Amino acid sequence: MIKKIFRSTLLANFLVLLASLALIMGALYRYFTQVQMEQLQTQTALAAKGISAEGMDYFDGLKTTSTRITWVDNTGQVLYDTDYDAQTMENHGDRQEIKDAIETGYGESSRYSSTLTQTSLYIAQRLDNGTVVRLSVTQHSVVLLLLGILPMLLLIAAVVVILSVLVAKYTAKRLVQPLNQLNLDAPLENPAYEEISPLLRRIDHQQKELASQEQLLLQRKGEFDTIISKIREGMVLLDNRGQIISMNPAAQILLQTDESSIGKEILELVRNLQLHQLIEEGVAGRKGETIFNVDQTTYKVLARPVISEDQLTGMVLLFFDVTDQWQAEQMRREFTANVSHELKTPLHIISGYSEMLRNQLVSEEDVQVFAQKIHTEAQRMVQLVEDVINLSLLDETPQITMEEVDLYQLAAESLESLSGKASQKQISLHLKGEPALLKGNRALLSSVIYNLCDNAITYNQSKGGVFVTINKTDQKVVLEVKDTGIGIPKDEGDRIFERFYRVDKSRSKKVGGTGLGLSIVKHALKCHGASIQVDSQIGKGTRMIVTFPVEK
């Protein structure tokens, strides 16, 4: 702005200088012309007096430099001329100044010569004898006048230019200084030019509007930050270049970062190919989702582009913890595969034996054996289906009916039901303890005791024993099932409660079982808030200790 004002001021000074020079030259030229005319008039009057008194003798010894004197008679015939021979000169009776002088006694005129580019001034006066004396001088043009005073003009112009530059710089600084010192935080308090008062009032109005909008934005941002800080899922806001705009605490914990990551690209924090591809989809304006694993946690990441006026302004990344769902889905797939596998084996056996019977490929003495095998496999399938149904009910039933149950009585009933199976394997059953009342579901608790005792019989040694003990205190009821069986390796103690998991698959096939019994036990105990502890030694037996809390 200072340069613009400086150039404008300097240009104005130059224009003023040129205009002043033109006016001064015109005034000087006019003034010099007037002075020259007055001098010529005086000289003409003097010459007329001299010629009237002396006649032709007046011209003897007369020296003229810039003035020409011509004497003519009353007919215009030249009698004498200081510059030319009078006899060779033409008649001057047609000259305007001479004609006027003959008629009125005085005449003057001026004539311009384009060849010589100069003007001649003429003044004529009639003498008493009727003759006319004329004096003329040459008047130089403005250009010649300008050239005559050119050195002085150049000196003056140099001084004026220097002064103009200084004045222009000083003026520009003085004009801009109040503008540079404006306090835009309080526009109306500035003692500035009156001409910019409307601008200052406009600025003040806009600042008030901006302050109001800023306050509203801060309020909205605070509300937004408060809302997203309470969201358990991770949320990351990105601009259209993939740089982080905002991130809630859950996302900061997930990505192991803090607020210093604002303004960075999210791919600087996380090196993940699936996430990189997801962000590329979002930048392209398309929705997307992927699975993102961190340590032992599985997250489902959703990318949602933000479109405003058909332009991509950013995107939102949402991180949902789907570890439980993912594990449940994996368990469902494994469960489906295991059930299919467990059902396929007895079905193949039943199909094979029945086909042999239908085609009469079995001797009479083996028919009973084949029938027994078909019956055994059918019972195994029935037991598997019943266990699957029980597990499904436990998974899908949010609430179960609770009542007062005597755990000792349930244990006695379960051992009674298993006495036939124990007798076949020559295994003795023992029950110790006292009546123990607790609040629970009779069917589930009976299933817990039955499955624990059934496993104790199934995986026991021939002529072994199963020992069931019920103890009760004010805080808990403890169920202990001990056997003298084959035992469980320590590294597999935590896996025996998984569905279809068997420690010794070859033995399990021989002794039967579905691999779901302990899974049912685990779910039933979970419904009662109980815990189970496994203590086992290979070849010496296993002890299962179940602890039920007692409600006061």
Side-chain angles (χ1 to χ4, degrees), residues 285 306-313:
V306 179
I307 307 296
S308 177
E309 298 180 356
D310 297 331
Q311 295 291 330
L312 178 70
T313 59

Side-chain angles (χ1 to χ4, degrees), residues 18-192:
L18 293 176
S20 300
L21 181 61
L23 292 174
I24 291 172
M25 290 300 299
L28 285 175
Y29 185 76
R30 184 175 181 182
Y31 172 75
F32 288 149
T33 301
Q34 184 177 358
V35 170
Q36 201 171 21
M37 288 293 289
E38 291 175 354
Q39 290 177 351
L40 190 59
Q41 289 174 356
T42 303
Q43 292 174 358
T44 302
L46 292 174
K49 291 290 184 182
I51 294 172
S52 296
E54 300 179 13
M56 191 64 71
D57 295 336
Y58 175 77
F59 296 103
D60 295 339
L62 181 64
K63 295 181 179 180
T64 59
T65 55
S66 60
T67 304
R68 176 186 174 188
I69 302 175
T70 304
W71 186 27
V72 300
D73 61 13
N74 56 359
T75 63
Q77 186 65 37
V78 179
L79 302 175
Y80 181 81
D81 191 273
T82 56
D83 292 348
Y84 300 97
D85 184 4
Q87 295 179 359
T88 62
M89 296 179 66
E90 62 183 6
N91 189 285
H92 280 37
D94 58 346
R95 303 292 195 272
Q96 184 63 43
E97 67 276 5
I98 294 177
K99 290 169 59 177
D100 292 340
I102 293 173
E103 294 177 0
T104 62
Y106 178 82
E108 63 179 36
S109 67
S110 64
R111 286 187 287 275
Y112 175 74
S113 174
S114 59
T115 304
L116 301 176
T117 64
Q118 62 185 15
T119 301
S120 298
L121 300 177
Y122 300 93
I123 293 180
Q125 185 174 339
R126 188 181 62 193
L127 304 181
D128 294 338
N129 57 8
T131 60
V132 176
V133 62
R134 185 190 71 178
L135 273 71
S136 65
V137 294
T138 300
Q139 183 184 28
H140 298 295
S141 64
V142 178
V143 176
L144 294 177
L145 179 63
L146 184 62
L147 291 175
I149 61 174
L150 184 60
M152 183 59 67
L153 285 179
L154 292 176
L155 178 61
I156 295 173
V159 173
V160 171
V161 168
I162 294 173
L163 291 176
S164 297
V165 171
L166 295 177
V167 170
K169 294 179 72 174
Y170 175 77
T171 303
K173 289 183 179 179
R174 286 297 302 271
L175 287 174
V176 175
Q177 184 177 7
L179 300 179
N180 291 334
Q181 294 176 350
L182 287 177
N183 181 11
L184 296 181
D185 294 332
L188 300 181
E189 297 179 3
N190 292 288

Side-chain angles (χ1 to χ4, degrees), residues 500-521:
F500 296 104
Y501 183 80
R502 295 186 178 94
V503 177
D504 188 348
K505 292 181 174 57
S506 60
R507 179 179 174 84
S508 298
K509 291 292 183 181
K510 294 177 182 179
V511 301
T514 62
L516 297 175
L518 290 182
S519 295
I520 296 174
V521 170

Side-chain angles (χ1 to χ4, degrees), residues 382-399:
V382 169
Q383 183 63 44
L384 176 62
V385 171
E386 288 180 353
D387 288 346
V388 169
I389 292 172
N390 290 333
L391 276 175
S392 299
L393 290 175
L394 288 174
D395 289 337
E396 297 175 2
T397 304
Q399 295 180 349

Side-chain angles (χ1 to χ4, degrees), residues 253-285:
I253 295 173
L254 169 64
L255 300 178
Q256 298 180 355
T257 185
D258 51 26
E259 293 183 354
S260 63
S261 61
I262 303 299
K264 297 180 180 178
E265 292 189 6
I266 190 170
L267 297 179
E268 295 181 14
L269 306 177
V270 183
R271 302 289 184 180
N272 183 275
L273 180 59
Q274 288 80 6
L275 187 61
H276 178 72
Q277 294 174 346
L278 182 65
I279 293 175
E280 287 185 345
E281 290 287 324
V283 171

Side-chain angles (χ1 to χ4, degrees), residues 224-225 227-229 231-238 244-252 254-255 262 266 302 315-320:
F224 177 76
D225 291 340
I227 292 173
I228 65 173
S229 65
I231 298 176
R232 294 175 56 187
E233 289 77 18
M235 177 183 291
V236 181
L237 302 181
L238 307 177
I244 300 173
I245 299 175
S246 179
M247 180 185 299
N248 70 342
Q252 293 177 11
L254 169 64
L255 300 178
I262 303 299
I266 190 170
L302 302 181
M315 75 182 78
V316 181
L317 291 182
L318 297 174
F319 295 80
F320 295 94

Side-chain angles (χ1 to χ4, degrees), residues 314-413:
M315 75 182 78
V316 181
L317 291 182
L318 297 174
F319 295 80
F320 295 94
D321 187 351
V322 293
T323 304
D324 294 339
Q325 296 93 314
W326 188 259
Q327 291 178 351
E329 181 65 18
Q330 290 294 105
M331 290 178 63
R332 185 190 66 79
R333 292 194 186 99
E334 293 177 1
F335 180 74
T336 302
N338 288 328
V339 169
S340 301
H341 177 73
E342 293 294 333
L343 286 174
K344 184 167 61 176
T345 301
L347 282 174
H348 283 173
I349 294 175
I350 293 172
S351 177
Y353 282 127
S354 61
E355 185 177 0
M356 292 176 67
L357 289 173
R358 186 189 66 178
N359 294 329
Q360 298 180 357
L361 299 177
V362 183
S363 61
E364 292 292 336
E365 59 271 15
D366 292 332
V367 170
Q368 186 65 30
V369 176
F370 276 52
Q372 180 61 39
K373 189 66 176 177
I374 291 173
H375 177 74
T376 301
E377 294 299 330
Q379 288 299 114
R380 181 181 172 189
M381 289 178 59
V382 169
Q383 183 63 44
L384 176 62
V385 171
E386 288 180 353
D387 288 346
V388 169
I389 292 172
N390 290 333
L391 276 175
S392 299
L393 290 175
L394 288 174
D395 289 337
E396 297 175 2
T397 304
Q399 295 180 349
I400 57 176
T401 303
M402 296 290 187
E403 59 181 324
E404 288 287 337
V405 179
D406 185 355
L407 198 63
Y408 185 86
Q409 180 183 355
L410 290 180
E413 293 174 357

